[in-house]
Amino acid sequence: MCGIVGILGQGPVAGSLIDALKRLEYRGYDSAGVATLEDGRLERRRAEGKLRNLEALLREKPLHGCVGIGHTRWATHGRPTENNAHPHASDKLAVVHNGIIENFRELRDELIALGHKFVTQTDTEAVVHLVTEQIRRGLSPVEAVAASLPRLKGAFALAILFEGEENLLIGARRGAPLAVGYGEGGEMYLGSDALALAAFTDTITYLEDGDWVILRRGSAEFRDEENKPVERPKLKTQASAFLVDKGNYRHFMAKEIHEQPEVVARTLAHYIDFSNGCVRLPFELPFDPKDLRAITITACGTAYYAGMVAKYWFERFARLPVEIDVASEFRYRDAPMPEKGLMIVVSQSGETADSLASLRFARAHGQKVIGVVNVPTSTIARESDVAAPTLAGPEIGVASTKAFTCQLTVLAALALALGRARGVLDAAEEKRLVNELMVVPGLLAEAMKLEPGIEALSHQLGKARDVLYLGRGPSYPLALEGALKLKEISYIHAEGYAAGELKHGPIALIDEQLPVIVIAPTDSVLEKTVSNLQEVAARGGRIIMVGDSHAIDAAAVSLAGEIRLPDMAPDFAAIVYAAPIQMLAYYTAVFMGKDVDQPRNLAKSVTVE
Ligand code: F6R
């Protein structure tokens, strides 16, 4: 999604604006721009494509102003051209914006009738003219914003810079996140997340939903939705503690895949009492687990597949019925919510619009909500009854990897905790399962050693037009996740299927050209998966098997490739098997020369529907 930054500096700010925008690159974007005040006059530089284009433009035509705003745009309304790039401006002000102004057409018609000229296809321009109109009517910039905000519908964050106002920036938040940073010598910052500001300060304030803020050097004046002055706490952020660089890796995605043994261990340590072999949740459950009747899980993309794996765990270990749906469907289904029900929302960013809307629906319909989130300060974390943190650290690669395995880890711990509290698991059974979880980081580290073989296999995959992934039980959602990972970063068409569904249609696709990746740890359904695999082999399919030695031997067919994992108990094998599947997609995309960390058309945090 779009990135916003604003700086009220002591010296020229253009370089720092670009640095901050670089830290927001991971969110995904297709054009960028900055605006500063040059002797009180608004000046903009904007460019299509990557930030290097904007940097080149700034070298040619530098900006020297000490107050400015910057933006990376992920196109929603209008193509990613220079003209549609932010900041958008009038003779009075410049605006950068994240999110969507839903009533922009209505506002545009009204403002055109008042003589305003619109020159872009963006919804943002309606904000520019709306505030400009108030200033033309004689209001001060602050009064003009106060008068304009109630007219805007939708979910958005804004930063506004005013002609002639060297000591003023205004930010507003409704739906999309926005933070204020406090720097040395009175420097002030605005950013769409703490990472954007990490290089400048570790002291920040998050705007609450509906808030807006008037920044002057050394001061931040917060107002709520009703325009009443409010106090918001200053926090010390952790963001700067994480090294947001690639280390020795070529891509963030590779680095994040390799971080998994460590971050899964860190997450486990937060939920498991290692010495006593039991789960110890780091929060009070907001309900009595014995009374719980049903769980609903909702999420998007990879986080949804984590939920799908967890469905098997909640059903088996806690004997709770689980309903699961993608958040974009769930939010509009008007689903009847069970009595004494729990909703689990899974989200890396904690800002995904559909997941947030589902959370709000569930709360309004009497559900208790647990948010499994990676960003502890996110909206989903704050609006859940309980936030269950995944301790993956900032995930920069657009394709989710370490967040997925940490989500699985938290969900596994939660399933065991509920199972124990409901009397489904006794202490011995809990201990056995906890011991299985405790070895997962070590098994992940073992899986990392398979990298050279996986890289070699990826050269086969890189030549394919389509790829099919098959699995049963928790390996079925993994098959879906494998297909998602491959298509999003390599652009090869891929599909995941429940292996048992093969005969009901997709078997027609099998020929010598189609790689079929079969995910099959040794578990209770291995035999069934092997039958399906033999059906593929009988039709000349090119099978790549992901399994342990026993499973690979059991397949008893000639394989086009294999990824041989160490032996492990089946219960949480999905967490370990995720890693080779991610690596396969990663190396295929690298082999094909794709932009692995920022795949085309994708955004890291999807804060629009
Ligand atoms: C795929 C991917 C996406 C996200 C989805 C949800 O690799 O990253 O499918 O999983 O957009 O995002 P969060 O978890 O931030 O709600």
Side-chain angles (χ1 to χ4, degrees), residues 468-492:
L468 191 59
Y469 286 74
L470 298 177
R472 277 178 184 259
S475 300
Y476 162 45
L478 267 195
L480 295 168
E481 168 62 3
L484 172 63
K485 233 36 354 141
L486 187 70
K487 62 190 149 198
E488 73 179 317
I489 60 171
S490 75
Y491 318 145
I492 294 174

Side-chain angles (χ1 to χ4, degrees), residues 300-303 346-350 352 355 398-400 407 481 484-485 488 604-606:
C300 302
T302 291
V346 189
S347 175
Q348 187 285 126
S349 61
T352 301
S355 306
V398 162
S400 191
Q407 284 159 355
E481 168 62 3
L484 172 63
K485 233 36 354 141
E488 73 179 317
K604 182 69 184 159
S605 173
V606 184

Side-chain angles (χ1 to χ4, degrees), residues 553-566:
D553 293 346
V557 293
S558 115
L559 298 172
E562 60 172 57
I563 300 175
R564 199 176 281 256
L565 281 125

